Amino acid sequence: MSLQVEKLEHNMAKLTIEVAAEEVEKALQAAYLKQRGQINMPGFRKGKVPRQMIEKMYGAEVFFDEAANRMIPEAYAKAYDECGLEIASQPKIDIVQLEKGKAFIFTAEVAVKPEVTLGEYKGLKVDKVSTRVTQKEVDEEIDKERERNARTIEVTDRAVQDKDQVTLDFEGFVDGVAFEGGKGENYPLTIGSGSFIPGFEDQLIGAEIGKEVEVQVKFPEEYHSADLAGKDAVFKCTVHAIKAKELPEADDEFAAEVSECETMEAYRAEIKKNIKERKEREGNEKKENQVVEQAVENAQMDIPEAMLETQVRQMTDDFARRIQQQGLTLEQYFQFTGLTAEKMEEELKPQAEKRIKTRLVLEAIVKAENIEVSEERLEEELTKMAEVYQMEVDKIKEFMGENEKNQMKEDIAVQEAITLLVDSAVEG
């Protein structure tokens, strides 16, 4: 095999790959052996027709497609390794020459990883993030936990209040005439849920069990039923049952039930600590996003279209795999949402471009700062991974080849580049 590399504009390159005539003959013979069982000719048993007879009858090119499909993957793989380029897209293949007795020549047009010209990336400004925890935030977390542990009780000695769960009959009238779809019996409704027309639920507050009340509302102008849109209506309602949430007292007993703390004081301290840690995490993530976005904005690079298309395709494939786990095919998703493959790809392009630029800039910073990941650092990450998956480190290593380890090192280096940006940033 011989290879010629031609650099093109916009970080594209053309590989011209030539496969020797002897290899072409081997591929044609392999194609014949594979396809001969599908060819019938008078005077010959099926699968026993000589290759020369088939080529004479159908032309020498009868086996060309199969032969090319055999040669291209292997020849391109060798060219990929030998070309010395950082290829960043799927190849666009074009056959130049395929003839019996001659060399096979084809070209592969590919995107090449762009060079990045870094701008300012140290000392970038980030928002100052407060990690102070207020008494109100602690109380809100406790109230959420009380809500999660509330029990529902039947209420018989009072009228409807906000947040109650009621069971009611209702019938709606417009200009004194009942309308279709406006009647319900033993209907469950949580007051304040916003399930009904605006104003409906509020007017049920104060209603007593078994007593009819009238609720006056106006249908929204954009209501789904054109006959009712914008019209005034009266609903005659009768509440049959009221249920309310009973929240547990925020005392030592409650703290012991929902946590490992024995007292409410210790529980409050634990919640405060958790909120503070969460704010620190969120604040750090915010700083990371801000410095990375600025570093990318300050850098210059020329992203080839083929590289962008490859990234979009990968993102589409990832999305298809995720929804497949939920029992949906991509085609079904398109039917349900009204999207098309073309529309989806167009929508993904900005995100794809951002991903590419971010990775390229961070890799350029890794190179500029001579960030290297030691075997010890890799071992630390593998140990963390083993803890997450509850596996032995050696078992994880068994599943990883050199390529996977190198990729993991690159990812660690990129994360260290982000840490460098954050550590050098100025809060303002």
Side-chain angles (χ1 to χ4, degrees), residues 9 172 197 296 327 403:
E9 291 182 335
I197 304 163
V296 170
N403 287 340

mmCIF file of all heavy atoms in Angstrom, residues 9 172 197 296 327 403:
data_model
loop_
_atom_site.group_PDB
_atom_site.id
_atom_site.type_symbol
_atom_site.label_atom_id
_atom_site.label_comp_id
_atom_site.label_asym_id
_atom_site.label_seq_id
_atom_site.Cartn_x
_atom_site.Cartn_y
_atom_site.Cartn_z
ATOM 1 N N GLU A 9 -7.707 23.302 2.527
ATOM 2 C CA GLU A 9 -8.098 24.466 3.323
ATOM 3 C C GLU A 9 -9.002 24.049 4.480
ATOM 4 O O GLU A 9 -9.617 22.979 4.460
ATOM 5 C CB GLU A 9 -8.845 25.483 2.453
ATOM 6 C CG GLU A 9 -7.967 26.170 1.419
ATOM 7 C CD GLU A 9 -8.755 27.198 0.630
ATOM 8 O OE1 GLU A 9 -10.001 27.046 0.530
ATOM 9 O OE2 GLU A 9 -8.149 28.160 0.125
ATOM 10 N N GLY A 172 -70.789 22.434 35.453
ATOM 11 C CA GLY A 172 -70.596 23.778 34.949
ATOM 12 C C GLY A 172 -71.698 24.237 34.016
ATOM 13 O O GLY A 172 -72.262 23.445 33.257
ATOM 14 N N ILE A 197 -59.414 25.627 36.232
ATOM 15 C CA ILE A 197 -59.375 26.985 35.687
ATOM 16 C C ILE A 197 -58.958 27.957 36.788
ATOM 17 O O ILE A 197 -59.387 27.807 37.940
ATOM 18 C CB ILE A 197 -60.772 27.383 35.161
ATOM 19 C CG1 ILE A 197 -61.242 26.368 34.126
ATOM 20 C CG2 ILE A 197 -60.758 28.773 34.538
ATOM 21 C CD1 ILE A 197 -62.724 26.439 33.862
ATOM 22 N N VAL A 296 -12.521 29.802 26.088
ATOM 23 C CA VAL A 296 -12.927 29.407 24.731
ATOM 24 C C VAL A 296 -13.190 30.648 23.888
ATOM 25 O O VAL A 296 -12.779 30.738 22.725
ATOM 26 C CB VAL A 296 -14.188 28.504 24.781
ATOM 27 C CG1 VAL A 296 -14.749 28.290 23.377
ATOM 28 C CG2 VAL A 296 -13.856 27.168 25.421
ATOM 29 N N GLY A 327 -37.363 2.282 25.828
ATOM 30 C CA GLY A 327 -38.280 1.534 24.967
ATOM 31 C C GLY A 327 -38.727 2.269 23.727
ATOM 32 O O GLY A 327 -39.719 1.876 23.091
ATOM 33 N N ASN A 403 -5.555 2.045 25.024
ATOM 34 C CA ASN A 403 -6.294 3.196 24.488
ATOM 35 C C ASN A 403 -7.215 3.801 25.537
ATOM 36 O O ASN A 403 -7.301 5.029 25.676
ATOM 37 C CB ASN A 403 -7.117 2.788 23.263
ATOM 38 C CG ASN A 403 -6.247 2.550 22.048
ATOM 39 O OD1 ASN A 403 -5.108 3.016 21.989
ATOM 40 N ND2 ASN A 403 -6.763 1.834 21.072
#
